[in-house]
Amino acid sequence: MSLKTKFDIIVPCYNVEHIIEKTLARIFSQEYSKDSFSVIAIDDGSTDNTLRCLNSFSSEQNFTIISLESNKGLSTARNCGIRSGNSEIICFIDSDMVIQQDWLLNVEKILMKEEIVGVIGKVVLPKEETPNMLDHYFYSKNRGARQFGEESIIGPTWFLFNNSAVKRRAIEATELFDEKIKYYGGEDTDLAIRIWDSFPRSFYYSSKIVAEHYHKRTLEQFCAQMEIYGKYNLPILLERHPKHHNELGGNWVKSFKGYLIFNTLFASIIKFLNKIFSFGIFIRYLVIYSTMRGYRKAQLVKKRF
């Protein structure tokens, strides 16, 4: 397949009429030649005015809109974008992310290095928003890929596809996103592990690749999402990637120490304390507990059948 552009920017969209125009406007205003990148937006069965917002940019150069009749999930939406493009580098930007105008320039600087096949950037809270309890944890310098420092090698369990870029040859050397993973979380971890196993020590983090995240959630909402991840997708990852058992938390969800520390009694105490003091360590505990709670529910169902 001949490569027509240097970058394909894939934007999966679902009910984001509140922000998608700002997302696309910033993408099209990149300090980079428009001949060198294409934008592929996938409307994943939105029920609001997202598709109408996308169509308002139809005159933009190298812009493709793919409309799915019903909501298929991130894996299917991103795969549609990957298959539609033919660039050297595939960029992934979630539709509630607003990138900086030098985003592509900074991606290019990192991926010029032969040994690097993927880079993930820094996600920040929009300047105009006041952080809530979850935001202080979510955007902490000690959470996610940020904790490893600038231009450091990061493992696959830290590599997400919300504000990142990967060389097409790396994705083509593996299969695409698993479209059977439809619930929240894990689809990016699964693909990242498969790429990492073929291209070890090839993922980088850069704080210069910045995206503002317009997705306000409460701690309760995020914990509910993590419980869904623990119930449906974590069991798939643990079974599929035994070499990464500990990185995925398997040494906790299946062990006595996990039950000793992460249980209903302790969780109730931490919830109470967090309402009074709200420390990052309390929030981290509740997020992990929610994941483990979901996983345990899945195991109980499995035993019954």
Side-chain angles (χ1 to χ4, degrees):
M1 178 176 63
S2 60
L3 303 178
K4 290 186 177 180
T5 59
K6 184 153 193 176
F7 300 98
D8 284 329
I9 302 176
I10 297 175
V11 189
C13 306
Y14 180 68
N15 288 353
V16 283
E17 64 177 0
H18 67 290
I19 191 60
I20 188 58
E21 290 181 343
K22 188 172 183 178
T23 298
L24 290 178
R26 192 63 63 81
I27 291 173
F28 287 118
S29 65
Q30 287 295 291
E31 298 168 353
Y32 207 93
S33 170
K34 286 193 174 183
D35 293 330
S36 298
F37 71 91
S38 66
V39 181
I40 305 168
I42 306 92
D43 177 49
D44 191 14
S46 295
T47 57
D48 64 358
N49 290 317
T50 294
L51 184 57
R52 184 184 300 174
C53 294
L54 295 178
N55 285 328
S56 69
F57 288 84
S58 58
S59 62
E60 288 286 348
Q61 183 178 339
N62 293 332
F63 183 41
T64 301
I65 301 172
I66 300 173
S67 180
L68 304 181
E69 292 185 0
S70 60
N71 183 246
K72 304 292 185 182
L74 276 172
S75 292
T76 297
R78 286 172 176 158
N79 283 348
C80 287
I82 294 170
R83 294 188 183 105
S84 177
N86 56 6
S87 65
E88 176 187 347
I89 296 168
I90 306 173
C91 303
F92 298 92
I93 300 171
D94 278 1
S95 52
D96 56 7
M97 301 274 185
V98 176
I99 60 176
Q100 303 300 306
Q101 289 178 300
D102 59 355
W103 195 92
L104 277 177
L105 288 171
N106 287 316
V107 166
E108 183 179 48
K109 288 176 185 177
I110 297 293
L111 292 185
M112 282 177 62
K113 301 174 184 178
E114 180 65 25
E115 70 275 13
I116 302 173
V117 303
V119 61
I120 181 172
K122 180 181 180 181
V123 176
V124 300
L125 185 72
K127 296 181 180 66
E128 66 270 22
E129 290 194 11
T130 302
N132 62 17
M133 184 189 302
L134 179 63
D135 292 332
H136 285 296
Y137 162 77
F138 206 77
Y139 301 105
S140 166
K141 64 180 181 180
N142 298 317
R143 182 182 178 273
R146 292 184 290 267
Q147 65 188 287
F148 300 104
E150 177 64 18
E151 293 192 18
S152 55
I153 296 174
I154 63 169
T157 56
W158 304 103
F159 194 90
L160 305 177
F161 287 83
N162 56 359
N163 174 37
S164 56
V166 180
K167 291 176 180 174
R168 182 174 289 273
R169 65 179 176 86
I171 289 184
E172 289 181 344
T174 66
E175 296 179 1
L176 304 186
F177 289 97
D178 183 355
E179 296 184 13
K180 294 178 182 178
I181 300 179
K182 295 183 178 181
Y183 292 102
Y184 177 85
E187 80 289 333
D188 39 14
T189 303
D190 175 58
L191 179 56
I193 288 175
R194 286 187 274 120
I195 294 174
W196 178 273
D197 287 347
S198 297
F199 301 89
R201 298 183 60 78
S202 58
F203 288 148
Y204 259 52
Y205 164 75
S206 174
S207 64
K208 297 177 182 177
I209 301 170
V210 181
E212 293 182 312
H213 192 198
Y214 287 82
H215 189 164
K216 205 70 173 176
R217 285 172 288 187
T218 65
L219 175 58
E220 290 74 20
Q221 288 171 329
F222 185 57
C223 284
Q225 289 179 309
M226 292 306 295
E227 185 170 330
I228 289 171
Y229 162 71
K231 182 176 181 179
Y232 294 103
N233 297 339
L234 181 56
I236 295 173
L237 296 177
L238 289 172
E239 182 177 351
R240 184 175 292 175
H241 304 292
K243 288 198 306 182
H244 300 273
H245 181 268
N246 288 352
E247 297 167 71
L248 292 166
N251 56 327
W252 284 95
V253 298
K254 294 184 177 182
S255 68
F256 173 75
K257 67 179 180 179
Y259 280 93
L260 184 64
I261 298 174
F262 295 96
N263 56 63
T264 305
L265 176 61
F266 276 15
S268 299
I269 295 171
I270 295 299
K271 283 181 183 178
F272 174 76
L273 293 174
N274 190 57
K275 289 180 179 179
I276 302 173
F277 302 108
S278 187
F279 289 128
I281 192 170
F282 291 164
I283 296 175
R284 179 176 172 80
Y285 175 95
L286 293 172
V287 170
I288 295 173
Y289 170 72
S290 298
T291 304
M292 297 182 72
R293 183 181 176 187
Y295 179 85
R296 290 166 186 168
K297 286 183 178 179
Q299 300 314 298
L300 285 174
V301 172
K302 188 176 180 180
K303 287 179 181 178
R304 289 173 187 167
F305 294 96

